[in-house]
Amino acid sequence: MNNTPFQSPDPWASDLPAIGIRPTIDGRLGGVRESLEERTMSMAQNLAKLLSEKLKYPNGTPVRCVVADTNIGGVAEAAACESKFAKEGVGLSVTVTPCWCYGSETMDMHPTRPKAVWGFNGTERPGAVYLAAVLAGHAQKGLPAFGIYGRDVQDAADTSIPEDVKAKLLQFAKAGLSAALMQGRAYVSMGGTSMGIAGSVVDPSFFESYLGMRVEAVDMAEFAGRMKAGLYDPEEYKHALEWVKANCIEGDDYNSSESQRSREQLNSEWEDSVKMALIARDLMVGNPRLTELGYSEQGQGHHAICAGFQGQRQWTDYFPNGDFMEAVLNTTYDWNGQRAPYILATENDALNGVTMLFGNLLTGTAQIFADLRTYWSADAVKRLTGYELQDPAQSGLLHLINSGPATLDGTGQHTDANDQPTIKPFWEVSENEAKACYQATTWHPSITEYFPGGGWSTRYLTKGGMPATIARLNLVKGLGPALQIAEGWTVDLPQNVHDALDQRTNPTWPTTWFTPRIGGSDVFRDAYSVMNAWGANHCVMSYGHIGSELISLASILRIPVYMHNVVSENIFRPSAWNLFGTADLESADFRACANYGPLYGK
């Protein structure tokens, strides 16, 4: 699968933000500062080593850390550090110290950079005192920062990073890096509003103010024009079409005999579907081959890390649907081998696309775009099939099913060290795992009554037993964006039970059975309440319980979270959030986000 003469364009080939590390020190010379120089810089270097070893950019390369040239004891050294950060493209910072420092003279004053402060928990030098003082300064100046402080006292000579401190450092770094990676990038709106879906009414002000991104609008006529003109790499197209014929398994045609399409027509739809995938990718990130072919403007692309394709109905009434294009681009492997997924939202649902982007940036994994279609109670399942739902799904199932594509990574054919199903970042995926995802997927002629222009639909069943998180970003007039999160698990059902439930809807769509973790008296008292409180028809499913990381990222962007089942001890937001109330963290989050406003201004 990796033996290809072609290379997929990398959306992350350049302009990757670094993590800046700021070692601060007591500025008093004459014995105090001198005794702390080595210890302070060592703390910064150890942190840089941790982050570079544990974190990767979306293209799989290690995260780059930039450490200040000197310890920062006052304003002059803080300014020198800031100058270096500007030259090195630092997108987030962590200030570290084992001792007292001059707070307002040494703090990071950048207005939009995500920032954290780690104060060493020791008794010989009061690093915790500086942490408290500088966090107060951040709050007073309207520059929220995450505070990191170990639970246990360490000896002054102890250079290790405790596990609880590591967890917070990594959680902040993931969230801060995700925010920094979005800044200056684009969302490509391919078409406009799909079937009146509000999420596909793309709001440029939201992208600009909250994410630091721009919106690029491309009419779907661009696809028709490029297909007609052959404006794609013709050699890669031939290679891709051959690969598709060898790896994409055709399934049953569920159309009635009157509406089934000819073999000649189906072959043509495969050809157009492959062309559409190439064109969408090139629109997003550009392609040097187009420049070589004489199309230098088209070869640049739109510097996008996320996109959506309207499709229905203005396109799909006359042309093949976007299902193959969306499924294969969102998957971490194709005719060019393993690569980072291109985040492409069905029906141009930009809010679901952004939620996919959040999950991808935090985890490096592909994301499942789905309809939150049906709640199945235990009683309803038993009435229809005689089967009693087992723990953890006893409160019911949510049927995640996409009226179109979803990443093929969602089949669950990757395996972890314990041979359990998982979804991995592409750099960890073996060739056999990549092939298994395609072998677990069938491609069916789309239902003609839905898609008169034809096309192909994916069908697969996600393996159960995987920890998973569903999420959705919604826009509310007068409030702005708000995020909802539900951690839970994918669920296995006996084949006959799955068939009985799944066959009640369109059989050409991929299915994931999901159950949320329940508890308490709010919307997480049962699975029905979760479904009933969901804010839209779409959701995104990410592998793993990543609710705490999503909450940290949302706080950086000033997006309140109005629904989640993350345990309180795992919630990590800037320390200033405590000043808006500690008894009701959800309400405090709303107040803090309203007070600070969008990260990049209104």
Side-chain angles (χ1 to χ4, degrees), residues 7-13 236 281-282 285-288 336 339-340 342:
Q7 183 72 38
S8 293
D10 180 7
W12 304 107
E236 185 182 4
R281 182 200 68 191
D282 294 348
V285 302
N287 189 343
N336 292 334
R339 46 131 179 96
Y342 301 96

Side-chain angles (χ1 to χ4, degrees), residues 5-32:
F6 303 96
Q7 183 72 38
S8 293
D10 180 7
W12 304 107
S14 61
D15 300 328
L16 296 176
I19 301 177
I21 301 178
R22 308 175 71 258
T24 58
I25 196 168
D26 192 323
R28 290 172 288 193
L29 288 167
V32 177

Side-chain angles (χ1 to χ4, degrees), residues 351-372:
L351 298 180
N352 227 46
V354 168
T355 313
M356 293 170 73
L357 182 61
F358 288 176
N360 170 251
L361 294 177
L362 288 168
T363 68
T365 61
Q367 306 291 296
I368 294 178
F369 182 115
D371 282 4
L372 190 55

Side-chain angles (χ1 to χ4, degrees), residues 541-562:
M541 195 189 87
S542 306
Y543 174 81
H545 290 157
I546 67 165
S548 60
E549 287 89 347
L550 285 166
I551 289 172
S552 293
L553 173 58
S555 68
I556 289 172
L557 302 172
R558 319 292 193 254
I559 296 173
V561 179
Y562 69 92

Side-chain angles (χ1 to χ4, degrees), residues 4-250:
T4 171
F6 303 96
Q7 183 72 38
S8 293
D10 180 7
W12 304 107
S14 61
D15 300 328
L16 296 176
I19 301 177
I21 301 178
R22 308 175 71 258
T24 58
I25 196 168
D26 192 323
R28 290 172 288 193
L29 288 167
V32 177
R33 174 165 180 158
E34 292 89 341
S35 68
L36 295 164
E37 291 279 12
E38 183 178 349
R39 174 76 179 89
T40 303
M41 185 56 74
S42 175
M43 192 174 174
Q45 297 291 353
N46 287 344
L47 175 57
K49 183 175 184 291
L50 170 71
L51 297 178
S52 294
E53 288 178 350
K54 294 292 186 180
L55 301 179
K56 295 183 184 296
Y57 291 114
N59 63 7
T61 59
V63 164
R64 183 170 58 94
C65 292
V66 176
V67 180
D69 291 332
T70 68
N71 291 319
I72 301 168
V75 173
E77 288 165 320
C81 173
E82 185 60 35
S83 178
K84 180 177 184 179
F85 282 6
K87 293 173 184 176
E88 294 283 353
V90 165
L92 62 154
S93 75
V94 183
T95 298
V96 302
T97 188
C99 61
W100 167 255
C101 316
Y102 303 159
S104 62
E105 295 185 26
T106 60
M107 65 189 290
D108 182 347
M109 294 283 287
H110 194 286
T112 60
R113 178 188 296 145
K115 48 186 69 70
V117 183
W118 170 28
F120 182 78
N121 185 359
T123 56
E124 289 81 357
R125 298 288 185 179
V129 178
Y130 169 72
L131 175 63
V134 80
L135 289 177
H138 278 286
Q140 189 169 331
K141 294 176 183 295
L143 300 170
F146 289 73
I148 300 172
Y149 177 58
R151 180 175 291 274
D152 297 317
V153 173
Q154 293 179 261
D155 297 333
D158 186 355
T159 60
S160 66
I161 304 178
E163 291 303 314
D164 62 328
V165 173
K166 282 183 184 178
K168 287 188 173 181
L169 286 167
L170 290 171
Q171 184 164 328
F172 163 74
K174 288 179 185 177
L177 190 63
S178 297
L181 284 164
M182 287 185 278
Q183 188 177 10
R185 297 286 182 152
Y187 176 92
V188 177
S189 176
M190 301 170 180
T193 305
S194 175
M195 300 183 296
I197 295 173
S200 62
V201 180
V202 184
D203 182 355
S205 64
F206 160 69
F207 279 88
E208 293 164 9
S209 297
Y210 285 90
L211 309 181
M213 296 174 61
R214 68 175 70 214
V215 172
E216 296 281 285
V218 177
D219 195 280
M220 289 184 295
E222 182 74 12
F223 280 81
R226 292 196 185 199
M227 290 164 68
K228 182 177 180 180
L231 210 164
Y232 46 81
D233 182 349
E235 295 303 318
E236 185 182 4
Y237 164 69
K238 293 177 184 177
H239 169 69
L241 187 60
E242 292 174 0
W243 184 92
V244 166
K245 291 177 179 178
N247 290 277
C248 294
I249 303 167
E250 289 191 19

Side-chain angles (χ1 to χ4, degrees), residues 218-294:
V218 177
D219 195 280
M220 289 184 295
E222 182 74 12
F223 280 81
R226 292 196 185 199
M227 290 164 68
K228 182 177 180 180
L231 210 164
Y232 46 81
D233 182 349
E235 295 303 318
E236 185 182 4
Y237 164 69
K238 293 177 184 177
H239 169 69
L241 187 60
E242 292 174 0
W243 184 92
V244 166
K245 291 177 179 178
N247 290 277
C248 294
I249 303 167
E250 289 191 19
D252 295 335
D253 188 341
Y254 291 99
N255 286 289
S256 66
S257 57
E258 294 80 13
S259 58
Q260 287 185 357
R261 307 185 293 274
S262 69
R263 183 68 252 178
E264 181 181 13
Q265 177 62 32
L266 294 176
N267 289 342
S268 174
E269 291 168 17
W270 270 125
E271 293 170 0
D272 285 344
S273 294
V274 172
K275 293 173 185 176
M276 289 168 63
L278 293 172
I279 291 167
R281 182 200 68 191
D282 294 348
L283 282 168
M284 289 181 67
V285 302
N287 189 343
R289 280 287 294 141
L290 297 185
T291 301
E292 294 172 7
L293 294 169

